[in-house]
Amino acid sequence: MAQFTVHARSGDYPVVVEAGGLSRLGRFVRSLGPRGRAVVVSDANVAALHGPLALRSLRSAGFSVRLVTVPPGERSKSRRQLSALWDHFAASGLERGDAVVALGGGVVGDLAGLAAATYLRGVPLVMVPTSLVAQVDSSIGGKVGINLAAGKNLVGAFAPPRGVLTDPRLLATLPARQLRSGLAEVVKTGMAVDARLFEFVERAALRLRDGDRASLARAVWLAARAKGWVVSHDEHEGGLRSALNFGHTLGHALEAASGYRGLLHGEAVVVGMRAGARLSVAEVGLPERDRARLEAVLDRLELPQRMPPTPLARLLRGMASDKKRRGGVVLWVLTPRVGSASLPRPVDGRRLRAVLLELGARVVR
Ligand SMILES: NC(=O)c1ccc[n+]([C@@H]2O[C@H](COP(=O)([O-])OP(=O)(O)OC[C@H]3O[C@@H](n4cnc5c(N)ncnc54)[C@H](O)[C@@H]3O)[C@@H](O)[C@H]2O)c1
Ligand SMILES: [Zn+2]
């Protein structure tokens, strides 16, 4: 077992990374303070695979337990599912001394996190991330939220959990495509904030791609700790934390352009990182060799080399409505070298179009 602490204004919290740790969930939640009730929020896939062990562990630690599931997928990050959770909490008689346990991927964490942060103005939340994206990214840092028709994550809050229990063994049941998509976020964290993580992924790429248990556990530990370090120093994204948006300006626009049905989030971020690295060579002096290293790692992980044919104009419009713009100007996080990122900055428009066309955008007349 290994653990680190994340600093948050509302209170520090532990992130425990332990193979097989799910069987200790009940004791972990108790150690964080809650007693009495635990409402476990999950999605139907994860609940079927890992719900029974989670519930058993909570019961044997003395909790009275209720399981609530939402349909799997991004569409559950909705006001409809949010208000359904509030009603379930009320029907369970949930109190401030009880706990909400988010057992699932980033969708469950973001949704249950917002529900827990708002019910009774906040009940304790424990994250049990089960996807790779959730283990290395979304469970840490306290951002929770839902989507609107107008865009992703437009309603949300900063609401750090009481604790995070990460069991890398749960990744054994994750579909291969979801695993590779999560590896994209690991590469992102390496490229933008942690050169040693990047080098580890370079060395272990083929084993990671094939789901090797020990390599994955190592990657989860290194990437989660790197994210924990970043958000401990910049919880509310004044500067440093924005590095984690590397690849996301274009990634979010691509996801929106496909109506969240084409590329997975991590896959869209891959195209965004390829664009970001190509722009970085010209704009912030990323050595060509390092751009090639990044793209080679993504290739070895069998992540997309280009986007599906997408109208250029739609991408440009999508980027212009990103949450992270300033006065209407689209900002990019660029990487001057491996393990380091610029603050969000505008990029040359002609160069951007050229890079998007290289990566598969289409000019539609
Ligand atoms: N809050 C943040 O800081 C933050 C950071 C990154 C991403 N996110 C959000 O996270 C979401 C994406 O997360 P995700 O990729 O985990 O998506 P997800 O939660 O939809 O999970 C992906 C799929 O994997 C399944 N799954 C999860 N764990 C499994 C397991 N152990 N075994 C078998 N199947 C499993 C799920 O049922 C789902 O079908 C997006 O909404 C994104 O906005 C939030
Ligand atoms: Zn992401």
Side-chain angles (χ1 to χ4, degrees):
M1 180 188 102
Q3 111 174 47
F4 59 88
T5 301
V6 178
H7 301 291
R9 221 171 283 173
S10 60
D12 293 356
Y13 57 95
V15 178
V16 169
V17 180
E18 182 183 5
L22 185 60
S23 62
R24 290 204 314 121
L25 173 62
R27 270 179 288 157
F28 179 68
V29 177
R30 267 188 95 88
S31 75
L32 300 170
R35 297 280 184 279
R37 292 185 180 75
V39 176
V40 177
V41 181
S42 192
D43 74 22
N45 295 338
V46 177
L49 290 162
H50 305 294
L53 179 55
L55 298 191
R56 212 180 313 134
S57 175
L58 286 162
R59 282 202 187 98
S60 60
F63 286 95
S64 84
V65 185
R66 181 175 176 133
L67 172 69
V68 182
T69 60
V70 300
E74 187 67 31
R75 288 169 56 89
S76 282
K77 273 174 60 172
S78 64
R79 64 185 101 188
R80 179 154 160 239
Q81 296 299 340
L82 178 65
S83 74
L85 286 185
W86 287 328
D87 290 334
H88 281 294
F89 294 169
S92 312
L94 195 69
E95 296 174 4
R96 283 200 180 132
D98 301 330
V100 172
V101 175
L103 174 72
V107 165
V108 163
D110 283 12
L111 172 71
L114 182 58
T118 43
Y119 188 70
L120 302 181
R121 294 200 188 84
V123 289
L125 170 74
V126 178
M127 292 278 202
V128 185
T130 63
S131 70
L132 185 54
V133 168
Q135 296 196 345
V136 300
D137 201 341
S138 59
S139 64
I140 302 164
K143 282 191 190 174
V144 296
I146 59 168
N147 304 324
L148 299 182
K152 236 179 106 106
N153 300 330
L154 288 183
V155 174
F158 283 100
R162 283 292 177 90
V164 181
L165 179 62
T166 294
D167 181 350
R169 249 182 232 167
L170 303 181
L171 300 177
T173 55
L174 193 65
R177 186 174 170 205
Q178 294 285 351
L179 185 83
R180 290 201 304 275
S181 176
L183 287 169
E185 298 278 13
V186 176
V187 171
K188 170 205 75 179
T189 303
M191 185 70 189
V193 305
D194 185 348
R196 286 179 54 194
L197 170 61
F198 185 86
E199 284 154 19
F200 172 75
V201 178
E202 269 185 323
R203 281 198 302 279
L206 298 183
R207 274 169 283 146
L208 290 167
R209 181 202 62 191
D210 295 339
D212 172 67
R213 218 197 229 187
S215 307
L216 277 175
R218 180 92 189 128
V220 165
W221 168 250
L222 291 173
R225 210 180 43 172
K227 170 131 193 203
W229 182 85
V230 168
V231 300
S232 290
H233 287 87
D234 179 20
E235 185 179 7
H236 290 177
E237 203 166 319
L240 186 61
R241 185 168 181 167
S242 64
L244 299 172
N245 293 322
F246 178 56
H248 281 63
T249 305
L250 176 56
H252 283 156
L254 257 175
E255 282 183 277
S258 72
Y260 303 100
R261 273 183 286 264
L263 297 176
L264 297 178
H265 173 71
E267 294 169 339
V269 169
V270 166
V271 178
M273 287 195 282
R274 291 186 193 270
R278 293 176 196 191
L279 292 167
S280 294
V281 172
E283 305 248 344
V284 293
L286 175 71
E288 170 55 28
R289 210 185 109 250
D290 288 344
R291 181 208 55 78
R293 276 172 74 195
L294 172 68
E295 298 214 40
V297 168
L298 298 173
D299 292 346
R300 259 178 285 150
L301 294 171
E302 283 171 26
L303 286 161
Q305 292 184 314
R306 49 201 286 124
M307 65 182 91
T310 311
L312 179 66
R314 194 184 296 172
L315 288 176
L316 295 172
R317 251 196 333 268
M319 287 190 274
S321 67
D322 197 89
K323 205 155 43 8
K324 273 136 197 160
R325 63 182 189 261
R326 207 183 303 125
V329 179
V330 181
L331 303 177
W332 283 69
V333 173
L334 299 178
T335 51
R337 57 179 186 278
V338 172
S340 163
S342 72
L343 289 175
R345 45 181 283 153
V347 299
D348 180 75
R350 288 232 309 273
R351 204 172 269 146
L352 172 60
R353 277 158 199 272
V355 165
L356 294 177
L357 292 172
E358 263 171 40
L359 285 168
R362 295 268 171 88
V363 180
V364 184
R365 290 176 199 285

